[in-house]
Amino acid sequence: MRIHVVTRWHARALFSRMIKIFITLLLFLSLTGGTWHLFNKERGRRADDFNSGASLFPLPLLESVLKEGLPPLLLDDEDNDDRAAGALAAAVQVLASPLVVAPEKLTAQPLTGEEEPVPQPLPGESLPPPPEEIIPPADGHPLVAIYNTHNAESYQPSEGQAKFPGKNGGVSQVAAVLAETLSKDYGIPVVRSTTIHDYPDFTRAYTNSEKTLKKMLAENPSVLVALDIHRNAGLPAPPVAEIQNQRVAQVLIIVGSSARLEHPNWRQNEAFARRLAQKMDELYPGLCLGVRVQEGRYNQHLHPRALLLEMGSDNNTLEEAERAARLVARVLAVIIEELRRENPAQTG
């Protein structure tokens, strides 16, 4: 006759397995109930009309349990049980996501494929001013259009933070200096937009700025150059050049391509970018970091001389970026004069 001795270790192991089986069943019924909830919602019926096993575990109760997460079961000291408990806790956390327990709260977010991921605005932040702001030129025949797709971008050493969601940050001030220098110092008329494009939905920034640039070009067919002013980010050290005994933020020219979206004539934009970079090297060696072709389109399909300029980085000072804008203005003035001589009929 055999005598089975149930030790404390055996009891704990048995209890642990029973608990895991129960939780597995609970999670299965949770998924079943959630799926049926979605099914009934699509059919326009109440979820409690269904009289099935899911009713044994009311959906609100399951959602509350899953949202809080279940504690990992560390009933045994052995490594295998620790790993199993960790895996179980990870599974609970996945199932506790809104994708499973709160499908009615999901909202579709359109993506442009040309954005950098950033945190969404905090609930307490105010909404941006609603009206579009386009500053017309003095004489009504602008040759340069300037705008900012990522208005919030700023220069942390001078402004205290790298972004101001819902507001025009430092890059807008740099764009203003560029426009003012072109118009006042070199007689180049400019149309500039201060419209907020990257708030409240950052993923629609380029979609929004495309509309702005389309409007600017439609109302000002005399425009020869369109510039989207940005600043770089994530660099270990600020890109700086010593020019005329002053620290100046270096400029990177970004050119889009047809890798993601239709842009059959992007080589024209690239050719103009290289022309601009060459002229920078001639007038101010060290100012330009070169031309970079990327997969995005960046609204450059709207004009053969539309470019994106990275004026320094987030770790530059605002003053360094403003100095770069003044130098870029002179370079643009020289190139625009060359374009006017090459195309007298287009520029009038």
Side-chain angles (χ1 to χ4, degrees):
M1 177 177 174
R2 290 186 177 182
I3 298 176
H4 294 278
V5 178
V6 180
T7 65
R8 183 173 175 268
W9 182 90
H10 286 95
R12 288 166 54 194
L14 178 62
F15 179 71
S16 173
R17 290 187 179 88
M18 290 177 63
I19 291 295
K20 291 172 185 177
I21 292 173
F22 171 76
I23 292 175
T24 302
L25 179 62
L26 177 64
L27 295 179
F28 173 77
L29 292 176
S30 301
L31 290 175
T32 304
T35 304
W36 185 253
H37 180 70
L38 285 175
F39 179 72
N40 279 344
K41 187 174 180 180
E42 291 295 325
R43 295 178 55 186
R45 292 164 46 187
R46 293 171 56 89
D48 56 2
D49 288 340
F50 178 58
N51 185 16
S52 70
S55 63
L56 297 176
F57 294 89
L59 187 62
L61 174 62
L62 293 174
E63 289 183 358
S64 300
V65 172
L66 289 175
K67 285 177 181 177
E68 294 298 326
L70 296 175
L73 300 176
L74 302 178
L75 300 179
D76 292 325
D77 295 330
E78 294 185 6
D79 292 340
N80 289 338
D81 286 326
D82 287 343
R83 287 194 294 269
L88 180 60
V92 169
Q93 293 301 324
V94 171
L95 291 172
S97 70
L99 184 62
V100 175
V101 300
E104 67 278 3
K105 297 180 181 178
L106 294 179
T107 55
Q109 295 289 341
L111 300 176
T112 65
E114 300 179 354
E115 308 287 350
E116 57 175 314
V118 298
Q120 288 299 308
L122 297 175
E125 293 175 348
S126 59
L127 291 175
E132 289 187 349
E133 297 290 344
I134 296 180
I135 305 172
D139 67 353
H141 297 284
L143 299 179
V144 179
I146 300 176
Y147 67 103
N148 304 97
T149 293
H150 293 158
N151 307 73
E153 291 179 342
S154 308
Y155 298 90
Q156 190 162 2
S158 300
E159 300 175 84
Q161 59 191 70
K163 289 180 183 290
F164 290 89
K167 299 179 181 179
N168 275 307
V171 290
S172 180
Q173 176 61 25
V174 172
V177 170
L178 177 59
E180 182 179 8
T181 307
L182 280 169
S183 59
K184 291 187 177 181
D185 293 356
Y186 301 106
I188 305 293
V190 177
V191 57
R192 185 171 79 91
S193 172
T194 59
T195 303
I196 303 290
H197 300 117
D198 58 352
Y199 187 91
D201 188 351
F202 184 87
T203 64
R204 293 187 60 82
Y206 279 98
T207 301
N208 297 333
S209 64
E210 180 181 4
K211 296 175 183 177
T212 295
L213 183 56
K214 280 183 177 179
K215 181 177 181 181
M216 294 170 75
L217 295 176
E219 295 176 352
N220 303 279
S222 56
V223 166
L224 296 177
V225 179
L227 299 175
D228 185 6
I229 305 301
H230 292 246
R231 59 105 179 98
N232 212 331
L235 302 181
V240 175
E242 192 80 16
I243 300 175
Q244 297 175 348
N245 298 321
Q246 289 186 317
R247 287 171 57 88
V248 179
Q250 293 176 296
V251 180
L252 177 64
I253 306 175
I254 302 296
V255 176
S257 66
S258 58
R260 295 180 182 172
L261 299 172
E262 184 178 357
H263 186 14
N265 300 318
W266 68 270
R267 290 288 185 184
Q268 297 180 24
N269 302 81
E270 183 190 18
F272 179 68
R274 299 199 180 282
R275 179 174 180 174
L276 179 62
Q278 182 180 4
K279 189 62 66 175
M280 284 192 202
D281 291 341
E282 290 176 7
L283 297 177
Y284 303 109
L287 174 62
C288 185
L289 290 173
V291 176
R292 179 185 296 170
V293 178
Q294 298 190 167
E295 292 184 350
R297 192 169 61 178
Y298 313 115
N299 301 333
Q300 294 175 12
H301 62 296
L302 300 178
H303 195 285
R305 286 185 289 273
L307 296 176
L308 189 157
L309 301 186
E310 300 272 14
M311 309 290 283
S313 187
D314 58 348
N315 49 7
N316 282 99
T317 66
L318 178 59
E319 293 75 17
E320 291 167 350
E322 289 177 343
R323 292 182 193 127
R326 294 185 183 97
L327 300 184
V328 170
R330 188 199 168 197
V331 175
L332 282 170
V334 173
I335 287 185
I336 288 174
E337 183 58 33
E338 294 175 356
L339 293 174
R340 295 175 79 169
R341 289 198 301 266
E342 295 168 6
N343 306 280
Q346 181 180 353
T347 58

